[in-house]
Amino acid sequence: MPEKLEKLVREALKAAQEAGDLPPFEVADLGFERPADTSNGDWSSTVAMRSARLAHRSPRDIATAIVAHLAADDAVSRVEVAGPGFVNFYLNAASNNEVLRLAREQGMDFGRSNEGAGLKCQVEFISANPVGPMHIGHGRWAALGDSLCRVMEHAGYRIEREYYINDHGSQMDVFGSSVAERYLQLWQVVAERGASLDEAYATLVADRGAYVDDEADERPDSHPYQDAFMASLGENSYGGDYIIDLALAFAKSDGDRWVAADGRERELEFRERGYQMMLASIKETCHEARCDFDVWFSERSLYERDADGKDAVGRAFEKLDRMGYLYRTDDGALWFRSTDFGDDKDRVLVKTNGEYTYFASDIAYHYDKFQRVDHVIDIWGADHHGYVKRVDSACRALGYEGGFEVLLGQLVNLLRNGKPVRMSKRKGTMVSFDELLDEVGVDATRYTLISKSSNQMIDFDIEAVKRQSADNPVYYVQYAHARVCSILRRAAGLDRARADELGMAEVGRRATGADVDLSLLVDPAELALSRKVAEFPELVAACARDRAPFRLTHYAEELAAEFHSFYQRCQVLPSEGRPLSPELSRARLAACDAVRSVLALTLSLIGVSAPTAM
């Protein structure tokens, strides 16, 4: 509709200029928007205010001239000049409600656009170290990243989802030594107590539990194995229960063959096998959260040499060096001139001892990305804010100015009945994302984690999110969808099993029949429903453009609220003692079906299911 109205205004503007009522000028943007107050029309144009300087006329005079030359159109019931020069269009009911027909016909393609113009864009998110299970912070990046990808695909971008596996560096050795130490402890308990491996495992888990409970370390006698573990590895260890789980798996599969083995050989063995097990677990968790990746990129691959004896890091350095952006200091360290691009200081790539920095990997990694895609979006935690400038500097130096983008996300406060859930990095205690998905469910978890802008902190109250009541947003929206499905099933005379077999789109068609007269929908609640449905296409384009999928949760709640208001005010099905025109009933059922379709689509774009019954 805005395209149609824009054509009418441009033709009227041209006619007014040809008649001499307005001087010649051109205006690119006619400023069409939806007035917040429906008394100001269904659409409004600010073209008169935008062209006042060009025409050397008052906006109201310009608006009056445009309206005087507007051609009549069946879709428009009236046009008014308001205020300083707004041109307000009022549509007739049939035109206003046409969007309901479109939403039903287009289904999951409703609101698709070419906003992205086919730009090949990679979104990299989560990218947690493969040395432990995902936590709720990783879960937020999963919900945000995957929802953003879905929205951008709907808006015409070509999307590649990527997970960067941080499997190179000292954290991998720490992981291997942690598993190895727990493996030795298991066999120590077996030898000392004559216990089975399962009994030894229970001993170590109970010992670690006592350590966690002993917050002030006042009862060291209750956790001797944890203390010994810490004494052996210091703070440089991974202490969660999952490390003991891995150690038990290796003890059961390999027996005690690694007890007398060379220490370094043992650590490497457990590092590599443990890494593969943790990576498989992370992939399974992501899949469970409906967040599957196109590419799992290993950091190690950046250091693998090709037939010419070069690796990706070396190739990236060669390009930067040719362009004059690298230099060595007297101590032998290699530096990148990031200050040439506005960074506050140059950044070291190779230390004096020959060790590569994390930044060296990041440069090579982003260089590799741009060989594959046109635009890169990284989703990082807010604590990485200071890292953005140096990576952006490297991308610009490599020739990809404007192609690198970062979304920073705030953390999640995990609560239970309003009280913080106790977690400690030092003691290795946390609620894993797996555990959260099991307790709360994928739908409620994803919806809650995507419900706010990434730059806002989220309070995730487990009990509140699980609650099945109208004050729980995800339940409120899903209930609206299920309620519509129930109405359509009744209208079509179908039970739930048969309806599920046919699919709700077919149920909706059977409920309404053909040739529905949408012009009958003139009640304010009906028109408000049409208006809200009509907002969806531009909303999706804006969510993609602004990288803001969280707005879809707000829209879903608003659409659900409009539906509930409509249903309370407007009778949909005839009943005993309450007759209703069959044509009006079919039109209202069509409105219900459009709401069902758009709610299902909205939820699908944030990875949440749309149940047909609750």
Side-chain angles (χ1 to χ4, degrees), residues 176-379:
S177 61
S178 298
V179 177
E181 186 64 24
R182 285 303 196 184
Y183 170 87
L184 293 175
Q185 285 190 328
L186 283 172
W187 288 111
Q188 178 187 348
V189 174
V190 168
E192 291 175 348
R193 304 189 180 188
S196 67
L197 276 173
D198 287 333
E199 290 169 338
Y201 169 82
T203 297
L204 293 188
V205 170
D207 176 270
R208 207 187 83 79
Y211 168 77
V212 171
D213 292 337
D214 187 14
E215 295 186 26
D217 290 332
E218 296 173 337
R219 301 183 304 279
D221 57 298
S222 68
H223 45 80
Y225 294 105
Q226 180 68 41
D227 287 347
F229 176 80
M230 298 292 288
S232 174
L233 301 177
E235 296 293 325
N236 202 25
S237 65
Y238 292 102
D241 281 348
Y242 70 94
I243 295 293
I244 308 176
D245 294 341
L246 289 171
L248 178 65
F250 296 144
K252 286 190 171 183
S253 64
D254 293 26
D256 63 356
R257 60 174 290 208
W258 296 102
V259 172
D262 173 77
R264 182 56 178 165
E265 183 181 355
R266 179 172 56 238
E267 290 173 9
L268 288 174
E269 175 74 13
F270 292 160
R271 182 188 74 179
E272 293 309 302
R273 289 167 62 186
Y275 156 53
Q276 294 300 331
M277 293 172 70
M278 290 310 310
L279 183 59
S281 174
I282 289 171
K283 288 183 177 182
E284 185 177 345
T285 300
C286 289
H287 180 70
E288 177 67 21
R290 304 178 190 139
C291 176
D292 294 309
F293 289 87
D294 302 305
V295 178
W296 292 80
F297 191 99
S298 167
E299 182 182 0
R300 290 180 180 180
S301 67
L302 298 171
Y303 294 88
E304 294 173 356
R305 298 186 182 277
D306 58 21
D308 297 326
K310 296 181 180 180
D311 57 30
V313 176
R315 286 192 292 272
F317 285 4
E318 282 182 359
K319 180 169 183 178
L320 290 175
D321 193 34
R322 286 196 306 270
M323 302 175 75
Y325 293 127
L326 300 187
Y327 65 93
R328 285 193 182 274
T329 51
D330 292 340
D331 59 7
L334 183 66
W335 292 76
F336 167 58
R337 299 183 188 277
S338 54
T339 51
D340 286 3
F341 301 91
D343 199 4
D344 58 350
K345 61 181 179 180
D346 290 345
R347 305 293 175 175
V348 65
L349 301 179
V350 182
K351 302 176 185 178
T352 55
N353 62 2
E355 181 182 342
Y356 287 93
T357 64
Y358 285 117
F359 186 40
S361 292
D362 285 331
I363 288 179
Y365 176 43
H366 284 81
Y367 186 38
D368 182 273
K369 289 187 184 196
F370 282 111
Q371 312 308 304
R372 297 179 277 132
V373 298
D374 304 316
H375 191 80
V376 166
I377 300 175
D378 289 357
I379 299 179

Side-chain angles (χ1 to χ4, degrees), residues 449-506:
L449 291 176
I450 196 63
S451 63
K452 288 187 177 181
S453 169
S454 61
N455 58 22
Q456 290 182 287
M457 194 167 286
I458 287 180
D459 288 332
F460 191 109
D461 192 311
I462 294 173
E463 298 304 323
V465 173
K466 289 194 303 184
R467 194 174 299 131
Q468 296 189 353
S469 62
D471 61 350
N472 182 352
V474 64
Y475 180 84
Y476 179 74
V477 172
Q478 288 183 318
Y479 176 72
H481 182 270
R483 191 178 192 182
V484 174
C485 293
S486 175
I487 294 167
L488 294 173
R489 284 194 297 266
R490 277 189 286 148
L494 298 168
D495 60 25
R496 184 179 169 189
R498 179 58 175 155
D500 288 346
E501 181 183 334
L502 291 170
M504 285 310 305
E506 176 60 25

Side-chain angles (χ1 to χ4, degrees), residues 399-455:
Y400 304 108
E401 185 162 359
F404 174 67
E405 182 181 348
V406 176
L407 296 184
L408 293 175
Q410 294 292 339
L411 300 178
V412 181
N413 292 321
L414 192 60
L415 311 170
R416 192 180 290 275
N417 287 322
K419 297 181 179 179
V421 174
R422 188 177 64 174
M423 290 186 282
S424 167
K425 184 175 182 179
R426 185 177 75 86
K427 289 187 174 276
T429 57
M430 70 170 189
V431 175
S432 72
F433 191 45
D434 266 332
E435 292 170 326
L436 197 66
L437 291 173
D438 288 343
E439 181 174 357
V440 178
V442 178
D443 285 340
T445 299
R446 280 195 62 138
Y447 191 99
T448 305
L449 291 176
I450 196 63
S451 63
K452 288 187 177 181
S453 169
S454 61
N455 58 22

Side-chain angles (χ1 to χ4, degrees), residues 149-169:
C149 290
R150 292 169 185 243
V151 168
M152 292 181 72
E153 284 174 331
H154 207 74
Y157 293 83
R158 291 184 296 149
I159 295 297
E160 180 179 87
R161 296 161 171 82
E162 182 150 308
Y163 188 114
Y164 181 55
I165 310 167
N166 299 109
D167 54 6
H168 176 83

Side-chain angles (χ1 to χ4, degrees), residues 17 24 51 55 57 70 95 103 113 152 173 220 223-224 236 270 310 319 354 387 438 444 457 460 537 553-554 607:
Q17 290 172 335
S51 56
R57 300 278 184 88
L70 271 174
S95 299
S113 71
M152 292 181 72
D173 288 332
H223 45 80
N236 202 25
F270 292 160
K310 296 181 180 180
K319 180 169 183 178
Y387 208 72
D438 288 343
M457 194 167 286
F460 191 109
T553 62
H554 301 176

